[in-house]
Amino acid sequence: MTQNEFLFKMQDEVLDIEREMTMESKLDEIEEWDSLAFVSFIAMAKTFADKKIDRAAVQNAKTVGDLYTLLQ
Amino acid sequence: MSDYTVHPITEEDLKLVLQWRNSERVHSQMLTDHILTWEEHYQWFCRIKENPVPRNLIFSYKGRPIGYIGYTEYDEDRRQCSPGAYLGETDVPIDAGLVLLAFAVEYAFSTLGMRRLETSILANNRRAKRIDEYLGYKYIPGKDEACLKNGKAEIAQRYELTRDDWELGKDQIPVEGVNILR
């Protein structure tokens, strides 16, 4: 998944927001990054990257780019 | 030991649960527009409190109630029901939703002895569908239902999860245990 594809999926499916974000966007500044978005992200990782993501690694992520790195 | 616990709903929990259930955030995700009154809520509690195996639970983190799990369409003969769960509070650990949803499924199979779960999801709620598919639910063709949401006709799609599918896939779900308080 390219960075642009990832950003689109984060906005459209994980966070369900319309405003744009970047790989540098800080998760703690995104109001929609909540418990439901957390599950959505882990579900997306399984669907699109076929990866079982470590829960603690997601909890430790600081930016959108950190989440992208987890999918690589 | 996990910081997450569940306990059967008690009379003391009722006001909080009604507040959660009728909040815009929770209510907007339900298939019905109905706002519950206290009387309806209390009558419901009087009915369910006699269940021999609790199927209406309060989900807590470090002793603080943060969510609710309930099982409807309960069919003991066919060992089938429909789980529902939500977080009532928003200032919760970020993994609380994952723990809640996975536990709701595990409890249905391991404690309630269910063989099959069914759930309805609004067709346009892609995020809910993605999450349920992640848990192992599969779409059941031909069981779509019409419902009225915010005065508009909507389609609810039906999904199922068998115990066998859950057992096969649950290793892929990164969750910790939840302590069941009796």
Side-chain angles (χ1 to χ4, degrees):
Chain A
M1 192 185 315
T2 67
Q3 288 193 4
N4 280 344
E5 287 169 340
F6 174 74
L7 286 172
F8 177 77
K9 287 200 177 300
M10 282 296 292
Q11 288 167 213
D12 191 52
E13 297 185 19
V14 173
L15 299 166
D16 195 15
I17 57 175
E18 292 186 2
R19 64 179 183 279
E20 297 216 341
M21 64 176 68
T22 68
M23 299 298 264
E24 289 73 39
S25 297
K26 292 189 169 71
L27 293 171
D28 63 7
E29 293 175 0
I30 300 173
E31 189 185 344
E32 293 83 0
W33 177 246
D34 60 10
S35 187
L36 189 59
F38 181 91
V39 190
S40 299
F41 172 76
I42 288 182
M44 181 181 76
K46 176 76 170 60
T47 305
F48 291 103
D50 197 23
K51 281 201 156 189
K52 179 183 175 182
I53 300 285
D54 179 45
R55 198 171 48 156
V58 184
Q59 285 171 303
N60 291 334
K62 303 283 184 231
T63 65
V64 171
D66 291 342
L67 294 178
Y68 180 69
T69 303
L70 293 175
L71 299 188
Q72 305 312 300
Chain B
M1 193 171 195
S2 172
D3 288 326
Y4 292 101
T5 58
V6 291
H7 68 262
I9 190 169
T10 67
E11 195 158 342
E12 289 178 357
D13 299 311
L14 287 183
K15 279 188 181 160
L16 183 59
V17 172
L18 183 64
Q19 185 185 314
W20 290 342
R21 159 63 178 77
N22 284 342
S23 69
E24 175 57 24
R25 195 174 57 81
V26 173
H27 178 249
S28 65
Q29 301 299 314
M30 297 196 159
L31 297 185
T32 171
D33 281 342
H34 184 62
I35 298 288
L36 282 179
T37 64
W38 169 255
E39 289 70 26
E40 289 170 323
H41 189 54
Y42 191 76
Q43 284 168 14
W44 163 82
F45 175 72
C46 291
R47 288 195 304 274
I48 62 97
K49 71 178 179 183
E50 303 302 336
N51 290 335
V53 181
R55 48 184 199 250
N56 303 88
L57 308 169
I58 299 298
F59 179 71
S60 299
Y61 178 73
K62 293 187 174 176
R64 175 192 174 217
I66 59 170
Y68 169 78
I69 302 170
Y71 302 87
T72 57
E73 302 174 29
Y74 200 85
D75 187 331
E76 210 159 272
D77 296 333
R78 297 170 66 195
R79 294 204 200 167
Q80 179 177 316
C81 69
S82 178
Y86 57 75
L87 290 169
E89 303 294 337
T90 54
D91 55 336
V92 298
I94 196 138
D95 64 353
L98 178 65
V99 176
L100 171 79
L101 295 171
F103 175 79
V105 173
E106 177 64 20
Y107 185 87
F109 290 128
S110 64
T111 302
L112 299 179
M114 296 290 108
R115 288 185 183 143
R116 188 165 173 275
L117 306 179
E118 282 199 13
T119 189
S120 294
I121 309 171
L122 289 173
N124 61 9
N125 193 344
R126 288 184 302 156
R127 192 151 76 153
K129 287 199 273 189
R130 165 69 52 75
I131 291 170
D132 276 354
E133 285 167 355
Y134 167 67
L135 292 172
Y137 281 90
K138 291 175 181 156
Y139 174 61
I140 311 174
K143 286 188 83 171
D144 290 5
E145 301 160 332
C147 62
L148 205 59
K149 189 68 191 165
N150 298 322
K152 277 176 50 186
E154 300 266 3
I155 298 294
Q157 296 178 325
R158 201 76 173 161
Y159 282 71
E160 67 173 343
L161 175 60
T162 64
R163 185 163 60 190
D164 288 348
D165 282 349
W166 172 248
E167 291 299 332
L168 275 175
K170 72 178 184 183
D171 285 352
Q172 293 301 309
I173 298 173
V175 292
E176 63 180 85
V178 173
N179 299 313
I180 301 173
L181 309 177
R182 306 287 177 184

